[in-house]
Each structure stands twice: as structure tokens, then as C-alpha cells.
Amino acid sequence: DIQLTQSPSFLSASVGDRVTITCRASQGISSYLAWYQQKPGKAPKLLIYFASTLQSGVPSRFSGSGSGTEFSLTISSLQPEDFAAYYCQQFNSYPLTFGPGTKVDIK
Amino acid sequence: QVQLVQSGAEVKKPGASVKVSCKASGYTFTDYAMHWVRQAPGQRLEWMGWINAGNGNTKYSQKFQGRVTFTRDTSASTAYMELTSLSSEDTAVYYCASPVAATSWYFDLWGRGTLVTVSS
């Protein structure tokens, strides 16, 4: 199975900050990586797929990059509605796996 | 409106089974796969497998093989997930998710989730 790790696990930031979350895969997954945002009690929301393609309707302050084993999600200017948990997911091979999540909280 | 509507919360005793439904609307149900993902309290999302809503073919995560069954009712545009031999470790929110506008196995459409609590 492909293991995904994320760093940091927890991030405290202020509105307007630039924030970067890293996801690492235990083996190469090309660009078969997605990012989701999840708020408490809600289903995940797709933000980015194929590592860097922005999902329709997602604000342009979100961006993704990387390939192979190292990926990142960047929020260029954190907004109040962005405080949430973020998960990466690989879809290179079965079983599909998710990272442990990064919780972004208000400083 | 494109959406997935899941059945309500369940409370089960250890050893019992649970069956969760996921009704699709706003798109052609049989044109897309339906995946199932669960999330235990405070834990990461965990993929369980998927069913081809058109022909009923399934693929299960090895972790759940033998204990989970996916089915669908095309006349009702509804997918089902049945999990047997429940233990406390199965307490989780269970989501159905579909790659409706996706070109691979990432998920742009999710149900709201069904909380399954396993407790004696």
C-alpha cells in the first residue's frame, strides 16, 4: 500500500498568511494526487486534482504542486473560511489512500 | 441538483451488521462508480472500495474483503454498503463518493455521511 504522510499535523495561522502543507508518498505516484478540505461535521470538498489542477469553483488562492513523492498545497492568503482540515489522497494505485490530515487553526 | 443522499445514523451492537444507503440524483447513476470511504473519530479517511453502478462489478479494499458488500438498485439510483461482524473499531462516519465529473479515482461528489456507532 502507498503510505501518505503530511506535515505539519497542525498549523496555527492568521488571516492573510501564506500557508503551505506538504504531502509525501512512500513511493512515486506521478501526479495522481488530490487535495480535500474538510470542516467539522461535513464531507470532504475537492480542491485540487492531478496535483495541480484547481477544481471548478475553488478560489484561486489555493494551488497545488509536486510530482513523484513530494507534493504541496498552498493557500496564498488565508481567509476565515479556510480554517479547516486538509487531506491529500493518492489515486495512483489500489488501495486508494489518504494522508493523516493537517488542521489549520486560527492564531 | 447533483447530490448523494445517505441514510440516517445507526447504532449497532458488536457482532451485528449494518447497511447504509446512498441515493443519487441529478445525474445518470449507472454511468459512474460509487466509492465508499469511512472516517473513524479523529482519524484519517479510509477507502473501502467501489461498485460499478452500471454492471455491479465491485472492488474491495483488502482490509474489508469478506466483511463488506456493495450492491446497487438501478431502478432507485441507490447504492448500498453492508458491513458485517461489527466491532467498536467500526464506529465511524461512512461516506459514499462518486467521481461524477472526474477523470480518475478522486471524488468531486460526496454524500453527507452516515454515522455508525457500535456499542454494547
Side-chain angles (χ1 to χ4, degrees), chain A residues 33-93:
Chain A
L33 189 99
W35 289 96
Y36 299 87
Q37 176 192 69
Q38 187 179 34
K39 296 183 177 179
K42 301 292 188 183
K45 174 188 174 184
L46 178 67
L47 300 175
I48 302 278
Y49 57 93
F50 287 115
S52 61
T53 302
L54 192 68
Q55 169 70 353
S56 175
V58 174
S60 59
R61 63 180 180 273
F62 290 92
S63 65
S65 65
S67 67
T69 61
E70 188 153 337
F71 303 85
S72 63
L73 172 71
T74 297
I75 309 171
S76 60
S77 177
L78 203 62
Q79 297 302 300
E81 60 268 30
D82 301 337
F83 292 97
Y86 293 84
Y87 295 90
C88 55
Q89 177 228 329
Q90 68 81 19
F91 49 97
N92 178 78
S93 61

Side-chain angles (χ1 to χ4, degrees), chain A residues 22-35:
Chain A
T22 297
C23 176
R24 289 185 174 87
S26 59
Q27 61 191 80
I29 58 171
S30 186
S31 296
Y32 294 104
L33 189 99
W35 289 96

